[in-house]
Amino acid sequence: MIPATFDYHRPGTIGEAVQLLQNNPDTKVLAGGHSLVPVMKMRLAAPDALVDIGRIAELRGISHSGNSLRIGATTTYFEIANSDAVKAAAPLLAEAAGQIGDRQVRYRGTIGGNISHADPASDLPAAVLALNATLHVVGPNGNRSLSASDFFVDLMTTALDPGEILTAVEIPAASGQSGSAYLKFEHPASGYALCGAAALVALDASGTCASARLCFNGVNSYALDAADVAAALVGSDLSDATINAAVDAHLTVPDPMGDMFASGEYRAQIANVYGKRALKTARDRARG
Ligand SMILES: Cc1cc2nc3c(=O)[nH]c(=O)nc-3n(C[C@H](O)[C@H](O)[C@H](O)COP(=O)(O)OP(=O)(O)OC[C@H]3O[C@@H](n4cnc5c(N)ncnc54)[C@H](O)[C@@H]3O)c2cc1C
């Protein structure tokens, strides 16, 4: 499979990249290439030009600023999964990144590409949603920041405007007595998520649930925030019975996705099972 002809640009700065994207509307950003190149080879996409952002130093790396962790858009899954800073401040993200694809995919694929592509079967959208991440973006009209909950719009559709580049993902650092878990029911051949459950819980001094998050990949056309389940858990003892009851009563999957791999009904059932398991694992980790 051979892609249609395209021009290739490799800018050295974000400004140059924005300029190149502005000059030709049929230009696409190239990051790790592990989603874009396959779709170009299948001729499902045939952009006139690619702007390879892989050599822009300011887009790469992991740093702390204040109480948050900032991860540059071209930071790879391998770097995220193996970063001590990410494991300490956002272990959920490290756990999700470490489960993506195989080693080759983890060496090349980037957090920015994963999120911008917004494939419902990808692993990072639910993780950044559960972590209440802020997504920093630059484009022809300057910089702006979006919450993860505003970013994922629909199947492979985000709130990025034409010509915009996702530059960094900012995550509030974990504090207090908290725990998280990312559990994936994966397609056995590709490793993509038929269902990925991202859970976070924080406990107060008495061990009561102070806050909770539960989000899913793979079951809906875009990352699903099970906010009603989380709300039902706040103030509870987070016992197995409480978690089971909250998920059974409050987890609804609007329009669950069905395809040749799994029906919508089956995915919704997996979400119920994996949602409970992820919350219990997060609770156990929070309790230490
Ligand atoms: C064999 C295989 C198995 C895989 N398994 C999994 C899996 O288990 N879980 C999973 O989550 N993913 C999986 N993937 C997909 C992989 O994670 C991709 O890397 C990811 O979907 C896209 O990231 P990328 O950096 O490769 O982006 P690219 O492929 O370069 O780009 C993807 C899209 O995002 C846009 N884009 C990229 N970066 C930016 C940016 N900074 N700003 C704006 N737009 C941008 C591009 O223009 C393009 O439209 C798999 C891929 C393969 C080939």
Side-chain angles (χ1 to χ4, degrees):
M1 288 185 280
I2 298 175
T5 307
F6 58 90
D7 290 333
Y8 174 82
H9 305 281
R10 191 197 287 160
T13 65
I14 295 175
E16 283 172 50
V18 170
Q19 191 66 54
L20 284 160
L21 287 165
Q22 200 174 358
N23 290 347
N24 181 354
D26 196 23
T27 300
K28 276 190 112 38
V29 170
L30 176 71
H34 268 56
S35 290
L36 183 55
V37 172
V39 297
M40 288 174 64
K41 285 188 165 188
M42 288 186 281
R43 304 253 177 158
L44 296 172
D48 285 347
L50 295 182
V51 173
D52 183 348
I53 58 172
R55 306 287 174 96
I56 302 177
E58 46 194 324
L59 288 179
R60 192 163 201 140
I62 298 164
S63 60
H64 266 293
S65 82
N67 284 335
S68 65
L69 192 67
R70 192 181 172 92
I71 304 177
T74 59
T75 309
T76 64
Y77 312 136
F78 178 82
E79 290 164 332
I80 292 167
N82 291 287
S83 156
D84 289 337
V86 180
K87 285 185 207 168
L92 178 63
L93 190 70
E95 190 171 18
Q99 292 182 46
I100 293 178
D102 53 26
R103 193 165 294 191
Q104 189 178 359
V105 176
R106 291 194 290 276
Y107 277 138
R108 292 291 308 169
T110 69
I111 185 170
N114 194 295
I115 294 171
S116 304
H117 195 54
D119 186 331
S122 283
D123 289 295
L124 298 190
V128 297
L129 188 60
L131 286 161
N132 292 322
T134 299
L135 307 180
H136 297 287
V137 165
V138 65
N141 298 319
N143 299 298
R144 64 187 181 115
S145 302
L146 296 99
S147 67
S149 55
D150 289 334
F151 189 78
F152 301 109
V153 175
D154 205 345
L155 188 86
M156 296 177 143
T157 308
T158 69
L160 283 174
D161 286 333
E164 282 190 322
I165 300 172
L166 176 64
T167 54
V169 177
E170 191 173 342
I171 296 169
S175 62
Q177 200 180 346
S178 60
S180 65
Y182 183 74
L183 301 185
K184 168 156 85 158
F185 184 82
E186 65 181 35
H187 185 277
S190 69
Y192 275 103
L194 287 179
C195 171
L200 268 169
V201 298
L203 310 180
D204 66 19
S206 65
T208 299
C209 178
S211 67
R213 297 282 289 146
L214 179 64
C215 299
F216 292 96
N217 294 308
V219 294
N220 227 324
S221 57
Y222 60 101
L224 174 67
D225 184 351
D228 291 346
V229 176
L233 291 171
V234 174
S236 79
D237 61 358
L238 285 179
S239 65
D240 283 1
T242 307
I243 290 173
N244 291 344
V247 173
D248 286 340
H250 298 288
L251 178 59
T252 48
V253 182
D255 300 324
M257 275 193 321
D259 56 22
M260 62 179 173
F261 304 126
S263 68
E265 191 184 8
Y266 183 62
R267 284 174 200 263
Q269 176 57 24
I270 300 174
N272 178 293
V273 173
Y274 273 64
K276 290 172 183 168
R277 284 186 196 168
L279 284 165
K280 291 172 193 172
T281 306
R283 172 206 60 199
D284 292 345
R285 290 174 176 172
R287 287 177 179 167

